[in-house]
Amino acid sequence: MPELPEVETICRGLAQHCVGATVLSAFVHRPGFIRGGSNQSRLFTGLTIARILRHGKQFVLESSCGRVMLFHMGMSGSVTIHPFQSLRAPHVHIHWTLTQNGKKFELHHRDPRRFGYVHTYDTMSLVRKNAWSKLGPDALVISNEELFEGLKNRRCAIKAALLNQSIVAGVGNIYADESLFESQIHPLRKADSITLCELGELTRKLQSILKKSIRGGGSTIQNHADALGRCGTYQEDHKVYGRGGEPCMTCGAILKHALCAQRSTVFCSICQSKKPR
Ligand SMILES: [Zn+2]
């Protein structure tokens, strides 16, 4: 599933190539993929893309007249730029033809597992009110205090809390496991048992990992690619995610598996303390 760094990578590519471009036409191949109205003007036909904003794992294209398309990437979503009249890969549910500086090109939104969608809105304030208000602060900028507030009275495991988008937006399985390992916190510890000091370390490590992953173009495990179709490289830096049964890179102990919030969780039982430090 694309997490914050993968979605940010896509947004940066789109910002470079699509801001200032005008949409000539939208082609919907799976009508159920579009929410909030799918006529041509709601899908930006005739409109110019003014800016791209991301919150957590979602992002929007905002037009110069204020209309917005919100992209939810689901489990396997990608948004990629292609030459005009390119062959479409299977599972492209909508594509657009755009023009910029007299040159036509296409934007393809592909989602093989179909958990994602595009939601059209009249204004950015409606996106904030109806969609982003349900999300916690963005993981890249959340403060210790905001995270502490979000975890207060949460009896669930810290790993489950990090995956809860209403507490902190943008973290999924990869970056939850990696940040808990780097901050030496056991993933199954109760969220409200994490001390403010540990939380400071967790926030710092999480944000440093997210930034490093963005610099590497995100993690490509199955199908993540940036807006130009290039794979990320941060999977080469994963210390625990996907490494269950292999030796810990810090202490050499065999990394363990657990199930947490229905997600496979990998950790080192030596390096990651079950008790507050
Ligand atoms: Zn270890």
Side-chain angles (χ1 to χ4, degrees):
M1 176 177 202
E3 302 182 30
L4 187 153
E6 290 74 44
V7 177
E8 176 66 18
T9 301
I10 292 168
C11 289
R12 289 184 182 191
L14 294 179
Q16 217 177 338
H17 293 90
C18 298
V19 168
T22 299
V23 175
L24 297 175
S25 201
F27 302 85
V28 178
H29 309 293
R30 173 171 288 278
F33 197 67
I34 314 296
R35 302 180 183 181
S38 60
N39 65 37
Q40 283 291 317
S41 87
R42 289 192 76 77
L43 293 172
F44 274 35
T45 296
L47 305 183
T48 297
I49 296 170
R51 61 176 178 161
I52 292 161
L53 298 169
R54 181 193 56 74
H55 189 93
K57 305 176 196 175
Q58 302 180 8
F59 71 93
V60 299
L61 303 187
E62 186 181 25
S63 73
S64 48
C65 77
R67 282 215 176 135
V68 179
M69 291 191 289
L70 171 87
F71 289 71
H72 190 294
M73 307 296 276
M75 299 292 287
S76 59
S78 64
V79 179
T80 43
I81 294 164
H82 299 263
F84 182 51
Q85 292 184 325
S86 289
L87 274 181
R88 285 195 320 275
H91 312 294
V92 171
H93 304 314
I94 177 167
H95 85 274
W96 293 264
T97 304
L98 298 96
T99 181
Q100 170 115 287
N101 302 324
K103 198 176 160 205
K104 288 183 186 174
F105 62 98
E106 294 178 356
L107 201 57
H108 294 190
H109 190 356
R110 181 168 185 262
D111 185 6
R113 296 185 63 184
R114 298 185 201 161
F115 286 100
Y117 55 85
V118 172
H119 199 309
T120 60
Y121 288 92
D122 286 329
T123 62
M124 196 56 221
S125 58
L126 281 174
V127 173
R128 292 206 167 90
K129 184 167 161 244
N130 297 341
W132 288 0
S133 63
K134 299 183 181 105
L135 301 175
D138 188 80
L140 211 48
V141 294
I142 193 170
S143 66
N144 299 345
E145 292 74 21
E146 285 171 322
L147 190 54
F148 187 73
E149 202 51 40
L151 297 180
K152 220 159 62 179
N153 305 323
R154 299 269 180 177
R155 300 292 295 155
C156 64
I158 180 66
K159 161 86 184 262
L162 289 178
L163 296 179
N164 181 338
Q165 300 300 298
S166 72
I167 297 175
V168 49
V171 181
N173 217 21
I174 297 175
Y175 301 100
D177 278 7
E178 292 295 318
S179 60
L180 288 168
F181 175 75
E182 289 282 2
S183 48
Q184 302 182 321
I185 296 171
H186 195 287
L188 301 182
R189 265 182 63 191
K190 295 267 185 289
D192 64 358
S193 78
I194 311 292
T195 64
L196 195 55
C197 171
E198 288 176 308
L199 220 50
E201 183 70 355
L202 175 59
T203 312
R204 265 193 303 281
K205 294 290 187 191
L206 172 63
Q207 291 173 346
S208 125
I209 288 167
L210 294 173
K211 285 177 192 161
K212 201 169 167 208
S213 179
I214 291 167
R215 285 198 295 276
S219 301
T220 298
I221 306 295
Q222 284 173 327
N223 50 15
H224 163 67
D226 70 8
L228 296 178
R230 298 172 300 204
C231 291
T233 59
Y234 191 69
Q235 66 281 2
E236 292 159 18
D237 291 321
H238 292 173
K239 295 204 168 115
V240 283
Y241 179 84
R243 296 193 64 247
E246 294 178 32
C248 169
M249 288 178 179
T250 304
C251 74
I254 296 300
L255 295 174
K256 295 197 169 164
H257 272 297
L259 203 61
C260 180
Q262 286 90 49
R263 306 299 303 275
S264 163
T265 298
V266 181
F267 62 98
C268 174
S269 57
I270 306 295
C271 293
Q272 291 173 263
S273 171
K274 267 192 165 163
K275 296 207 171 80
R277 270 175 282 122

